Every structure is written in structure tokens, then in C-alpha cells.
Amino acid sequence: DAGITQSPRHKVTETGTPVTLRCHQTENHRYMYWYRQDPGHGLRLIHYSYGVKDTDKGEVSDGYSVSRSKTEDFLLTLESATSSQTSVYFCAISESGGLNEPQHFGDGTRLSIL
Amino acid sequence: LAKTTQPISMDSYEGQEVNITCSHNNIATNDYITWYQQFPSQGPRFIIQGYKTKVTNEVASLFIPADRKSSTLSLPRVSLSDTAVYYCLVGDGAAGNKLTFGGGTRVLVKP
């Protein structure tokens, strides 16, 4: 499997606190993505990156920010977590950004906001 | 991205062939059809992709009729470990595409 590591794997925090999730890849892929998965909604794209310092919004970007200072790391930050952001978060990578280029996913971070 | 429709769930038994059909009536000329598999507590995993006719790999086959308005993922001789959710996606090679998985098909393989 592709070398993708998400950290932490589980986190419980309180409403209003900042939270940062990390995705680390060893494949040197250009594109990186953050998704959230909720019951009844499938996976929804939050933000993606097409290179160092190059990012763009996805379908559900409100309340989230991202940063990519190195090819291998893509950070997702919840500046002030809310209960609606309780979800499972997946990071994915791909060599190019097209749908005909398969994405490889990490094992997810389960985030609970109380 | 073209909207896709697939059954919510399917049950099967070990050793049987499972066929999951996905409808994508609004598929565009440049769109590819891609299937992912997701096990509980894991991220989705790419299974197979095709543009037309038939594609086969070591895991599955993908059948696409000439009008491309539907596609069928075929899993031969399933085992208990094939119990998972299977997602059908349709889209083109435009950079930065917004991958939308939808609800998928939950396949349960019984002994």
C-alpha cells in the first residue's frame, strides 16, 4: 500500500479548541487531499493541494484550513472545533489530479468533539 | 461530476459471483468510471477503472456497455473478506477534480 500516515488516529477534544491533523506521505506525490466521512454522506472533499503552498477548497471547506510547506506533509486545521466537525477524516494522495488517476487513502483519523 | 446511482446493499454467499451495477446517465465523453472498495475502519482502496468495453485485473472485472450510461463491477467467487462498501465514481481527468463518493453499495458475503 501507498506510504500514507495519518496522525493522530483518534482524538477527543472540546468545542472551541484548535485541532490539527497531519498527513504524511513517502511517495512524493504531487496531489494531497483531505476528506471527511459521515453516515449518509459518503466521503466529501474538504481541501486539496496540488503542490507545496498550493491549495484549493473542496465541497465542505468552511471551518477548515490547510497548509503544505513540504511535499510530504499536508496539515488540516480546525481553528475552533465544533460538534458538527465530529467525523472520520481521510487523507489521500495521487500523482496527478485527474479522476483517471487513482487516489490512495490513509487509514483515517477519528475525531470526536464534545 | 456525473451523478451515479447504485444499490444500497447486496447480500451474497462465499464462492458466488457478485455483480454491482452503477447508473451514470449523464456521463460525459471524457469521463472515466472508477470503483473503490472500503473496509470498516479503513480508507477507500482503488479496485478498477475503465472507459469502455471490458477491463479485468486480479481483483475484479468492469463491464461498460457501448452507451456508457451504466457499468457493472463483477467480483468473481467472493469470500468473507470481500464484505465491504463499493463505490462507483465517474469523472474526467481535469486537474483538481472533486471526487464525490456517494453512499456506495454495502456488500455482505455470508458463509
Side-chain angles (χ1 to χ4, degrees):
Chain A
D1 286 343
I4 306 168
T5 304
Q6 291 187 231
S7 58
R9 292 295 314 280
H10 303 272
K11 187 173 182 65
V12 180
T13 190
E14 295 183 347
T15 300
T17 61
V19 177
T20 295
L21 308 182
R22 179 181 184 238
C23 178
H24 178 79
Q25 60 144 330
T26 59
E27 306 297 318
N28 201 36
H29 283 357
R30 180 182 174 194
Y31 280 76
M32 299 185 74
Y33 311 79
W34 276 109
Y35 294 88
R36 60 178 289 175
Q37 185 170 37
D38 305 291
H41 289 279
L43 274 85
R44 293 180 290 175
L45 181 66
I46 304 171
H47 282 279
Y48 68 97
S49 169
Y50 47 97
V52 173
K53 297 191 188 322
D54 293 323
T55 65
D56 203 353
K57 296 179 180 180
E59 179 186 359
V60 289
S61 59
D62 287 348
Y64 301 95
S65 62
V66 290
S67 66
R68 191 165 178 203
S69 59
K70 298 184 292 184
T71 299
E72 58 266 34
D73 289 326
F74 193 32
L75 304 180
L76 177 71
T77 298
L78 291 65
E79 300 290 349
S80 178
T82 68
S83 58
S84 65
Q85 293 175 311
T86 292
S87 186
V88 180
Y89 291 84
F90 288 101
C91 172
I93 65 174
S94 67
E95 287 194 67
S96 68
L99 182 59
N100 56 328
E101 176 68 32
Q103 293 188 14
H104 304 281
F105 288 77
D107 287 333
T109 293
R110 187 172 296 275
L111 178 63
S112 297
I113 300 165
L114 308 177
Chain B
L1 295 178
K3 179 177 171 58
T4 62
T5 302
Q6 51 184 126
I8 294 174
S9 64
M10 298 179 69
D11 288 356
S12 184
Y13 291 90
E14 283 189 292
Q16 289 189 337
E17 179 181 78
V18 172
N19 296 306
I20 308 171
T21 297
C22 179
S23 298
H24 28 80
N25 292 320
N26 296 323
I27 190 169
T29 303
N30 295 330
D31 285 348
Y32 284 77
I33 301 157
T34 309
W35 286 81
Y36 283 80
Q37 173 192 56
Q38 185 177 24
F39 297 115
S41 302
Q42 293 185 25
R45 182 174 72 105
F46 171 84
I47 301 177
I48 197 167
Q49 183 180 76
Y51 183 81
K52 61 180 180 180
T53 63
K54 177 184 175 182
V55 179
T56 298
N57 61 23
E58 66 278 6
V59 176
S61 294
L62 179 60
F63 298 91
I64 306 168
D67 66 5
R68 303 200 328 123
K69 293 184 182 300
S70 67
S71 58
T72 299
L73 175 73
S74 180
L75 306 172
R77 297 178 298 281
V78 294
S79 63
L80 297 177
S81 62
D82 291 315
T83 292
V85 179
Y86 293 84
Y87 297 95
C88 166
L89 291 84
V90 174
D92 64 19
N97 77 87
K98 295 171 174 52
L99 211 57
T100 302
F101 278 72
T105 298
R106 192 172 299 274
V107 173
L108 174 62
V109 180
K110 303 175 182 178

